[in-house]
Amino acid sequence: MVTKGNWSGDVPTWPKDVVVLGAGFSHALYDPCPLTDKLGEMVRSRLSSEDRAKMPPSEFEDGRFEEWLSYLSERQPHLEPEGAAEAALLAMRVTRVICEVLSELQEEALSAEVDGWFYEFLSVLHVLRAQVLTLNYDNFVECGVHALGLQSAGWFGPTTVCEDDVLAG
């Protein structure tokens, strides 16, 4: 029981190492993986002309794709219900195309040769028991953990390390 000024339980311990992985990580792992704004342009090229007309007219740069997507996904109080529904549908179509683009790139990347630093990095994460926060839409870390085949001591002998062991669930 915790009372003001009195702690009568185990003090929680926090991991000392936290690693945040963003889009640059996937790009470093597989060069064709786009950074955010390039992804926006890849999405634009696959949308219908009707949907492209609803996008900002200039190319995305300086994080504008993520900004536009956030705007599109949030309820806008100045929109009438029909406009809000239309924005939500556009957000759904854009999200579907993002999934298509990234799935294709991930498939290409997983069939390509991976640099050795990636597996060393995953091994270090596991040894450090670091918390990993990935902001990426792809599954490179999870797939890499499976491909690496790390073993960990278990109660009944060695067990295979899975992505939950590295990403802490």
Side-chain angles (χ1 to χ4, degrees), residues 9 20 22 35-36 44 81 85 111 115 124 128 136 150 153:
V20 179
L35 297 177
T36 308
R44 182 192 306 267
S111 64
D115 288 335
V124 168
L128 292 176
N136 293 337
L150 287 173

Side-chain angles (χ1 to χ4, degrees), residues 8-157:
S8 62
D10 292 334
V11 176
T13 58
W14 299 99
K16 57 184 171 180
D17 297 305
V18 177
V19 178
V20 179
L21 303 176
F25 178 77
S26 298
H27 182 69
L29 186 59
Y30 185 64
D31 192 58
C33 283
L35 297 177
T36 308
D37 288 329
K38 184 173 181 197
L39 175 61
E41 293 307 321
M42 293 170 84
V43 167
R44 182 192 306 267
S45 72
R46 292 185 181 208
L47 289 172
S48 69
S49 58
E50 185 179 294
D51 283 345
R52 281 196 304 271
K54 297 173 187 172
M55 297 179 81
S58 59
E59 279 193 18
F60 292 110
E61 54 185 32
D62 299 324
R64 296 290 187 236
F65 178 61
E66 190 171 359
E67 183 180 289
W68 175 75
L69 196 55
S70 293
Y71 168 81
L72 192 64
S73 300
E74 295 172 358
R75 186 177 178 321
Q76 301 302 317
H78 64 280
L79 293 177
E80 296 295 322
E82 295 83 9
E86 195 173 301
L89 285 171
L90 178 58
M92 289 172 53
R93 288 191 296 271
V94 168
T95 301
R96 180 180 39 83
V97 174
I98 289 172
C99 290
E100 290 171 4
V101 168
L102 294 177
S103 293
E104 290 169 12
L105 285 167
Q106 182 172 303
E107 188 176 328
E108 288 173 24
L110 294 173
S111 64
E113 180 119 3
V114 178
D115 288 335
W117 68 262
F118 177 55
Y119 294 118
E120 289 176 29
F121 176 71
L122 294 177
S123 297
V124 168
L125 291 178
H126 181 59
V127 168
L128 292 176
R129 298 294 192 254
Q131 297 288 307
V132 179
L133 173 64
T134 178
L135 306 175
N136 293 337
Y137 297 106
D138 58 59
N139 295 13
F140 289 155
V141 172
E142 293 87 340
C143 293
V145 170
H146 285 281
L148 185 56
L150 287 173
Q151 296 286 303
S152 185
W155 287 103
F156 303 107

